Amino acid sequence: AATGGPSTARQVKLDKECELRVEVGPDTPLRLRLLTGNAEIFGTEIPPEIWVTFPPRLKFAVFTWYGATIEMDGTTETDYTADETPMISYVNVHAVLEGRRNRAKALPSDSDSSQGPRVIVVGPTDSGKSTLSRMLLSWAAKQGWKPTFVDLDIGQGSITIPGCIAATPIEMPIDSVEGIPLEMPLVYFYGHTTPSVNADLYKVLVKELAQTLERQFAGNAESRAAGMVINTMGWIEGVGYELLLNAIETFNATVVLVLGQEKLCSMLKDVLRNKPNVDVVKLQKSGGVVSRSAKARQKARSYRIREYFYGLANDLSPHSNVANFSDLTVYRIGGGPQAPRSALPIGAEPAADPSRLVPVNINRDLLHLVLAVSFAKEPEQIISSNVAGFIYITDIDIQRFEICTLAHIEVSSAV
Ligand code: ATP
């Protein structure tokens, strides 16, 4: 128990294959430790005895394969024990992937079969896609593989700020508190949180990311054999469905895991039936997945941006910079129609060019916006370039032609 003040510490005994589901309270962190047995949080083992501090609002489950005793200290929004989980089916998927990785590794690295499994996780919102992706990655990393995590979810992605698609190698089980490591992410900036704003641009960026990874895999037998786990958006109707199909194809996915929706699963099985090397597998959604309202999602996005600049525990200090207007050139991608109506045949609608670059004048409209810093050397390279990091515009002084920003640039490199 904590020393000083009233103690709120309590112990929970978990039977084999059970989990303790926790939502940390809104204001104060929760401490938790493993007293006996073994337990894991989304695929990452909890070290014995050591108190781990979970920040406010975090939602997680402590699962045990053989039984464990947990001690908690602090307030939770909810915490309860569940004895029904889909974990056995998830770990069975992991075992199959493991077999494919071993087979890929055993083959000469120039053969096509030296490519390990390319798993794509699909399903409606709040079906546990990110969580399943995380488990599969952590279990693989625990066995010594370095799988690549690809996050195509521009709304609630877990690699970097919202509005991006990104990829990063996972070299160790993912930390239960810190999440995906931010060391070397490969990030492409889309700039919106819904793909419908510019679905064609989304596709272009997905293709760029896939091609870059393909090049990296070609020179790296180890990551090729480990394969990838691709997380997707919860938008599975209409254009969303088309974007899913597009992602399956662009990344040459070999395993499609469908969470919690029969209809989507049978639709995918149907369209992919001519592709014998693609397995479509239906998996049950966990009862522990916490649904989030549109408002909660919006809030989560703001927290994510804050966290990017200031760190999870306010432990980063972003640089504040003052620059002259002439130091920065700002572009918007995909703005406005391509051709004026007068130049088109009668009745034709001007089509917006998804990848049109529009120079943006620096004025107060940019205040409080987040901009991506591109590695592009020329404007026409912007779309195909990954980004170095992001800046947040804190002030614009029109009289002095000065722009004040907060910057925190990840150490990613140009590809
Ligand atoms: P999205 O709709 O944003 O794509 P998703 O399908 O990826 O969501 P997750 O992000 O995996 O869903 O899960 C939603 C929330 O539920 C997360 O906060 C996650 O930590 C929590 N969660 C998932 N599984 C469990 C569980 N078994 N017990 C407790 N919380 C869980």
Side-chain angles (χ1 to χ4, degrees):
T3 48
S7 164
T8 51
R10 59 226 179 264
Q11 290 186 8
V12 182
K13 197 175 162 302
L14 288 175
D15 289 334
K16 82 185 242 287
E17 289 164 28
C18 288
E19 69 183 20
L20 170 66
R21 295 174 179 162
V22 181
E23 282 183 49
V24 184
D27 304 315
T28 48
L30 175 79
R31 299 197 312 150
L32 183 148
R33 66 173 170 169
L34 173 69
L35 291 178
T36 65
N38 296 295
E40 55 183 53
I41 296 176
F42 301 150
T44 302
E45 277 186 279
I46 310 178
E49 312 261 341
I50 301 166
W51 283 106
V52 183
T53 305
F54 296 87
R57 296 178 307 273
L58 197 73
K59 300 160 185 63
F60 63 94
V62 181
F63 178 86
T64 180
W65 292 105
Y66 304 108
T69 315
I70 307 294
E71 187 172 18
M72 275 194 292
D73 181 17
T75 45
T76 60
E77 189 77 29
T78 52
D79 61 89
Y80 66 98
T81 305
D83 57 4
E84 254 177 60
T85 79
M87 291 295 278
I88 302 261
S89 59
Y90 293 177
V91 86
N92 283 340
V93 169
H94 163 70
V96 172
L97 300 177
E98 206 54 15
R100 294 191 183 183
R101 290 187 183 108
N102 283 320
R103 232 175 307 150
K105 193 180 167 190
L107 288 161
S109 59
D110 53 354
S111 86
D112 251 6
S113 339
S114 68
Q115 171 63 61
R118 294 183 172 196
V119 185
I120 185 162
V121 184
V122 307
T125 47
D126 299 321
S127 55
K129 297 178 296 299
S130 316
T131 306
L132 175 61
S133 303
R134 200 161 154 160
M135 287 183 214
L136 295 173
L137 290 161
S138 289
W139 286 329
K142 188 183 165 191
Q143 318 272 105
W145 300 100
K146 292 178 183 166
T148 300
F149 177 42
V150 179
D151 204 336
L152 301 182
D153 188 351
I154 47 177
Q156 312 282 322
S158 33
I159 298 181
T160 184
I161 67 165
C164 299
I165 61 169
T168 190
I170 301 296
E171 310 198 335
M172 286 198 300
I174 298 161
D175 189 282
S176 314
V177 177
E178 301 280 326
I180 308 284
L182 272 184
E183 269 108 65
M184 281 290 276
L186 176 60
V187 181
Y188 289 86
F189 189 57
Y190 171 72
H192 311 277
T193 49
T194 42
S196 53
V197 177
N198 190 343
D200 289 319
L201 174 63
Y202 182 83
K203 283 194 213 165
V204 169
L205 297 178
V206 165
K207 194 165 170 194
E208 287 293 338
L209 176 61
Q211 284 172 343
T212 304
L213 290 177
E214 211 69 71
R215 279 197 300 276
Q216 292 182 348
F217 281 153
N220 186 336
E222 193 185 11
S223 55
R224 237 174 107 75
M228 38 183 158
V229 176
I230 306 165
N231 179 38
T232 61
M233 294 177 285
W235 189 29
I236 54 168
E237 310 277 340
V239 181
Y241 176 69
E242 260 155 52
L243 292 176
L244 273 187
L245 288 181
N246 179 260
I248 293 172
E249 201 164 309
T250 310
F251 282 94
N252 287 311
T254 52
V255 180
V256 183
L257 300 178
V258 189
L259 272 173
Q261 223 213 42
E262 301 271 352
K263 182 177 145 206
L264 177 63
C265 184
S266 79
M267 279 164 76
L268 288 172
K269 274 197 169 139
D270 206 40
V271 296
L272 297 169
R273 67 182 180 281
N274 303 330
K275 300 202 167 165
N277 60 335
V278 184
D279 294 317
V280 180
V281 181
K282 191 179 75 193
L283 287 171
Q284 204 195 325
K285 166 185 162 170
S286 166
V289 179
V290 183
S291 300
R292 291 159 294 178
S293 62
K295 202 166 152 229
R297 283 168 186 276
Q298 175 54 46
K299 250 192 170 158
R301 287 197 277 271
S302 310
Y303 283 128
R304 206 63 201 141
I305 295 175
R306 219 202 119 69
E307 185 192 326
Y308 172 84
F309 289 104
Y310 292 100
L312 193 62
N314 258 332
D315 49 349
L316 294 178
S317 6
H319 311 283
S320 341
N321 292 306
V322 181
N324 281 314
F325 282 11
S326 56
D327 296 339
L328 297 177
T329 39
V330 182
Y331 289 90
R332 181 195 309 277
I333 305 174
Q338 189 175 26
R341 215 172 269 271
S342 57
L344 293 169
I346 293 164
E349 281 297 308
D353 176 359
S355 36
R356 197 168 88 118
L357 274 183
V358 185
V360 174
N361 285 330
I362 298 180
N363 58 38
R364 289 193 61 89
D365 291 347
L366 292 180
L367 195 58
H368 303 310
L369 293 190
V370 173
L371 309 180
V373 181
S374 177
F375 277 117
K377 297 203 173 61
E378 300 297 331
E380 28 320 331
Q381 297 168 347
I382 289 178
I383 291 182
S384 56
S385 299
N386 60 321
V387 301
F390 305 91
I391 60 174
Y392 172 73
I393 303 193
T394 54
D395 197 13
I396 290 184
D397 188 331
I398 299 287
Q399 264 83 49
R400 299 166 68 182
F401 297 103
E402 277 176 355
I403 179 163
C404 306
T405 60
L406 271 189
H408 165 60
I409 305 294
E410 289 163 354
V411 280
S412 47
S413 48
V415 291

